[in-house]
Amino acid sequence: MIPTTLTLGVEEELQLIDPSTFELVSAATHVAALADHALAPRLREEVHQGVIEIVTDVCSDVATIREGLVANRIAVRDLAGRAGLAIAAAGVHPFSDWRAQVFTDTPRMGWVARELGGPAPGLTCFGLHVHVGVPDDDEAVAVINRLRPYLPHLLALSTSSPIWNGRPSGLMSTRAELRRALPRTGIPDAFASYADYRRHVDLLLRTNSIDIERRLWWDVRRSPHYPTIELRISDMPTRIEDTVALVALSQALIAHLLAEHRRGVAYDVVPTSLIEENRRRAMRFGVRCQLADFSLGTEVPFASAMDQLIRLVSDAATELGTRDELEQIRRIVSDGTSAEHQLAVHAASRDPREVVDWLLRETQRDIPHE
């Protein structure tokens, strides 16, 4: 029986774009100030002013998440439009200079600027955060331990940042590489229990390594504010339907791993360094990568690895009613992620502005127009 506590929430970090120059615009505070009382609570400040983050309500199922994502993109599209701007969904901006972006002037964001010594390219990135409800702290830590080896799969499926500083970077997820330069990012170590995790966090707090728990910017974490597992590894998908597929996969995978934990199914704790090897492959080649199967000592094509993963979670997806959404993962693998399509546009035009133009249109592909 799938727990009814596996609720869902999604945070989308969207780019604010000048529709005439296609530049990233530092206007988040101005745009957010235009929101009405219904929309304002769903908007969140971020480190720099080129991003506007919007969150869904807590949702009981993937179908409701889809409705929330559509409503949110319509709301932010219209809000940005009132300021003469547009929105785009991707992991980085293809050509705007990260050094020109304006920091958000608040005490919380000021702490980040002081720690890093000023603006940093890893902060001018845009990600998707997926929350899956697991109320019990010890169960959440146990599931995260089992989840760690699958994080590269989620990164590969979401890659949307292949062009940076006006040209292809050589990576499908430039965002993943840029964020590695920030502290406390990447794959977290496994923890023996929630108490073990708390000792780690409290030590960082006592030694002034962090000022609050949310400075842990790992690819997956126990949310500091909600009774959820928070998946943070993904680039910001351009299409809503890709985000929905990733949410469905994340929920079904966590449901499956939680069930295994409760049954006492044994598993191997994969060393962080080995998971990082697959993270690098996903970052470099996306869904065309070869993943390493360290238990067998072989390489596996990503498409085969995803077939195996979909079979693994199919029973959970059936019980959750998300088999159709899960099948969309196969479409992403076959058709390519946003990163592949951006590279194709750039190869044809040699103009990163054409890539942004494509992003502006594709960001709205799955939402109704006025």
Side-chain angles (χ1 to χ4, degrees):
M1 177 69 69
I2 296 295
T4 57
T5 54
L6 292 173
T7 54
L8 297 167
V10 173
E11 304 167 12
E12 288 194 301
E13 296 177 346
L14 300 169
Q15 302 179 26
L16 292 171
I17 302 293
D18 183 323
S20 59
T21 67
F22 300 130
E23 289 274 2
L24 189 64
V25 180
S26 294
T29 297
H30 170 64
V31 171
L34 301 175
D36 60 24
H37 293 299
L39 178 60
R42 302 208 304 275
L43 301 178
R44 300 287 185 271
E45 67 178 7
E46 270 300 330
V47 178
H48 69 94
Q49 285 283 294
V51 56
I52 187 158
E53 181 179 68
I54 187 163
V55 304
T56 66
D57 294 330
V58 178
C59 299
S60 59
D61 53 44
V62 171
T64 311
I65 278 288
R66 177 187 279 107
E67 294 172 1
L69 290 171
V70 170
N72 280 356
R73 285 211 188 176
I74 291 172
V76 177
R77 176 197 68 189
D78 294 348
L79 193 67
R82 290 171 58 191
L85 301 174
I87 59 168
V92 297
H93 189 279
F95 67 86
S96 285
D97 190 342
W98 62 268
R99 292 165 295 187
Q101 306 314 309
V102 177
F103 260 69
T104 300
D105 186 17
T106 65
R108 184 168 75 85
M109 298 309 176
W111 188 95
V112 177
R114 289 192 299 274
E115 182 186 37
L116 298 177
L123 295 176
T124 317
C125 296
F126 306 80
L128 171 73
H129 301 166
V130 176
H131 291 259
V132 180
V134 180
D136 183 88
D137 289 325
D138 279 308
E139 286 192 330
V141 169
V143 170
I144 288 172
N145 288 343
R146 295 170 182 261
L147 179 64
R148 292 162 62 252
Y150 300 105
L151 294 174
H153 299 62
L154 300 178
L155 175 59
L157 290 165
S158 69
T159 49
S160 66
S161 51
I163 299 171
W164 192 56
N165 285 341
R167 58 183 182 272
S169 68
L171 304 172
M172 289 296 184
S173 176
T174 308
R175 168 187 169 272
E177 177 69 7
L178 295 177
R179 287 193 58 80
R180 292 294 285 150
L182 302 179
R184 298 171 298 280
T185 55
I187 306 295
D189 291 332
F191 294 96
S193 63
Y194 182 69
D196 183 33
Y197 167 81
R198 284 304 329 165
R199 283 190 291 270
H200 179 87
V201 174
D202 292 343
L203 180 60
L204 292 176
L205 289 166
R206 289 199 309 273
T207 57
N208 291 320
S209 301
I210 56 176
D211 60 336
I212 53 176
E213 188 175 338
R214 68 181 300 169
R215 307 298 185 200
L216 301 175
W217 295 328
W218 294 324
D219 290 339
V220 63
R221 68 182 181 183
R222 180 60 164 164
S223 171
H225 299 299
Y226 308 109
T228 64
I229 292 172
E230 182 183 0
L231 293 154
R232 302 167 50 85
I233 194 170
S234 295
D235 277 9
M236 184 62 240
T238 304
R239 289 193 59 189
I240 285 178
E241 286 306 313
D242 289 359
T243 296
V244 171
L246 283 165
V247 171
L249 176 61
S250 300
Q251 186 190 38
L253 179 56
I254 287 175
H256 172 79
L257 296 176
L258 179 59
E260 283 196 337
H261 167 69
R262 289 178 173 177
R263 294 198 310 270
V265 175
Y267 73 103
D268 293 327
V269 177
V270 181
T272 301
S273 60
L274 294 184
I275 302 173
E276 289 283 1
E277 291 291 336
N278 274 339
R279 186 184 189 276
R280 171 69 190 182
R281 293 170 183 236
M283 178 175 65
R284 172 70 175 89
F285 295 109
V287 296
R288 308 304 166 209
C289 73
Q290 298 274 330
L291 290 178
D293 186 327
F294 293 108
S295 63
L296 298 177
T298 60
E299 288 185 308
V300 180
F302 184 79
S304 298
M306 280 312 309
D307 283 341
Q308 181 180 0
L309 181 54
I310 289 171
R311 288 195 300 271
L312 183 72
V313 304
S314 61
D315 288 345
T318 297
E319 195 165 345
L320 288 163
T322 57
R323 286 293 294 269
D324 289 344
E325 289 82 0
L326 198 62
E327 283 299 312
Q328 291 301 309
I329 295 293
R330 300 188 195 275
R331 173 187 56 78
I332 296 173
V333 176
S334 63
D335 295 352
T337 65
S338 173
E340 292 185 42
H341 294 289
Q342 289 178 55
L343 287 171
V345 172
H346 188 269
S349 66
R350 300 297 178 184
D351 185 352
R353 286 169 176 78
E354 290 292 326
V355 178
V356 179
D357 187 39
W358 179 86
L359 286 170
L360 292 178
R361 289 180 278 107
E362 198 72 2
T363 296
Q364 299 192 56
R365 177 174 171 181
D366 299 317
I367 64 179
H369 295 277
E370 296 176 332

